[in-house]
Amino acid sequence: MAAKDSLTAAAPGLEVDPAVYKTLLESTLAIPWKIDWATMRFAYIGPQIEPLLGWSQDSWMSVDDWASRIHPDDREHVVNFCVSQSVAGKDHEADYRALTKDDRYVWIRDVVHVVRGEDGEVDSLVGFMFDISERKRIEHELMKMQKKLEALSFEDGLTATSNRRHYDERLQAEWKAAQTGQHPLSLILLDIDHFKDYNDFYGHIQGDECLVRIAGALKEIGGRPRDIVARYGGEEFVLLLPETSEAAAAVLAERCRAVIEGLHIRHERSSCSAFVTASVGVGTVIPPFEGDALHFCDAVDKLLYAAKQEGRNRVSSTFSA
């Protein structure tokens, strides 16, 4: 009836057989429907509903049939939204997953128009259902791609550890969290010993392979959800360890050193071992409320420098067991 009124308004004096309106409605991919507001029962739903969802036209008796065929995760929100908008007399749209007769789900967009009587009260709801499954699939793929790109923007391209940008962001966030909670924050900074000599002797391709193997070993050590293992520079790595005590950080730092040497990557040009090794600085702080992370990082960098000065392949820490 709404379609007939629209066509008549658009072309005054044009008389069209009512069967034409029905043909127009039922030939479109959109599924027309009408609900009587007083009884909350379907006055009409298009035959297109059966090919799409499998449910026959005569199985759509009331709004309860509609609600029961909405995905449980969508149902409460969609039903409450549609009812509130209809009571307010507002046209609206809702996206949800509709159950098919063979227990699958199809994404539907319901476009709803509120029809009022001469007294201004809601008389009925009319609208169209559209199959938007393909649109949702594309949106999902785009979202996955966006998340992947975001992850790549925080990842070192060679070692698949966090890059410096991600580390800097997480350092600031964890510093603030440690300040607020007054809990320890630990940092392990390590540098591969004589790595320039390694690259010069074995070549950059093998040098890259060496860094990849070391990164993989370090990621197994910094494996908690909030731990960050990042490539800090060319041959430098950093482990950011929230809520880690000084004693625990010292143990992890020694483990980093031992694991790297334990990879047994030959290094004929090293003056401290027959294998690739690392010098390590480790520090822990409970951040003061007026302090910043920069001074803490500088202190750990000085500890790394001390480890190099003391002969390399060792850990320098303020912790004493």
Side-chain angles (χ1 to χ4, degrees):
M1 293 177 69
K4 181 177 179 181
D5 292 341
S6 298
L7 285 175
T8 302
L14 177 64
E15 292 297 329
V16 183
D17 189 320
V20 174
Y21 299 114
K22 185 177 181 181
T23 300
L24 287 172
L25 287 173
E26 298 181 356
S27 64
T28 178
L29 292 177
I31 302 165
W33 55 266
K34 179 179 180 181
I35 289 175
D36 179 71
W37 184 252
T39 62
M40 289 295 169
R41 297 179 68 82
F42 277 93
Y44 176 78
I45 192 165
Q48 306 97 314
I49 195 70
E50 188 165 357
L52 179 61
L53 299 181
W55 306 104
S56 63
Q57 277 180 281
D58 57 14
S59 72
W60 297 80
M61 303 295 292
S62 71
V63 293
D64 290 336
D65 297 309
W66 166 73
S68 68
R69 292 166 183 170
I70 296 177
H71 192 289
D73 292 346
D74 303 336
R75 185 178 299 138
E76 183 177 359
H77 167 73
V78 169
V79 172
N80 289 343
F81 171 73
C82 289
V83 169
S84 65
Q85 295 299 100
S86 299
V87 169
K90 297 179 180 179
D91 294 347
H92 54 278
E93 298 180 2
D95 292 354
Y96 56 87
R97 288 162 289 181
L99 178 68
T100 67
K101 196 171 184 179
D102 58 357
D103 291 325
R104 295 179 299 105
Y105 284 96
V106 173
W107 272 102
I108 294 291
R109 171 163 293 172
D110 239 333
V111 179
V112 184
H113 173 61
V114 180
V115 179
R116 294 179 178 274
E118 292 182 359
D119 58 0
E121 297 297 318
V122 177
D123 176 75
S124 59
L125 306 177
V126 296
F128 288 92
M129 294 181 185
F130 298 88
D131 177 6
I132 60 169
S133 299
E134 181 62 15
R135 182 187 305 175
K136 286 291 184 179
R137 185 193 67 78
I138 293 172
E139 288 176 0
H140 179 68
E141 290 300 318
L142 289 173
M143 189 174 298
K144 281 172 57 179
M145 187 179 299
Q146 181 179 353
K147 288 181 178 179
K148 186 175 181 179
L149 289 172
E150 288 174 354
L152 288 173
S153 72
F154 287 130
E155 187 177 280
D156 177 62
L158 175 64
T159 64
T161 59
S162 295
N163 60 21
R164 182 64 181 270
R165 172 189 174 192
H166 190 208
Y167 161 73
D168 288 341
E169 289 188 5
R170 293 307 308 156
L171 173 63
Q172 294 304 318
E174 293 297 351
W175 181 267
K176 289 180 181 178
Q179 272 183 326
T180 301
Q182 284 295 282
H183 53 66
L185 179 65
S186 293
L187 195 67
I188 297 173
L189 186 60
L190 61 92
D191 191 3
I192 309 305
D193 295 323
H194 304 296
F195 190 71
K196 182 179 184 302
D197 295 329
Y198 184 93
N199 260 341
D200 290 344
F201 185 75
Y202 294 99
H204 288 280
I205 292 177
Q206 197 162 328
D208 286 349
E209 291 175 358
C210 173
L211 292 174
V212 169
R213 290 184 63 188
I214 290 171
L218 294 176
K219 284 195 288 186
E220 292 184 7
I221 295 173
R224 298 177 305 172
R226 285 169 59 194
D227 292 347
I228 293 291
V229 179
R231 189 177 179 191
Y232 194 69
E235 64 271 16
E236 286 186 310
F237 291 90
V238 61
L239 281 75
L240 180 65
L241 307 169
E243 298 187 44
T244 303
S245 69
E246 188 176 26
V251 170
L252 289 172
E254 173 56 29
R255 187 177 167 196
C256 289
R257 187 209 62 78
V259 163
I260 291 171
E261 187 173 27
L263 292 173
H264 290 156
I265 302 172
R266 295 290 304 178
H267 191 347
E268 294 185 28
R269 294 300 178 91
S270 174
S271 63
C272 57
S273 173
F275 303 109
V276 169
T277 60
S279 299
V280 186
V282 55
T284 301
V285 67
I286 296 178
F289 288 109
E290 298 302 323
D292 61 54
L294 182 61
H295 291 93
F296 173 52
C297 294
D298 285 343
V300 177
D301 191 56
K302 286 182 173 64
L303 289 169
L304 170 59
Y305 181 76
K308 293 180 180 181
Q309 291 295 102
E310 292 165 9
R312 301 179 188 268
N313 189 24
R314 65 191 65 230
V315 175
S316 178
S317 169
T318 57
F319 176 74
S320 56

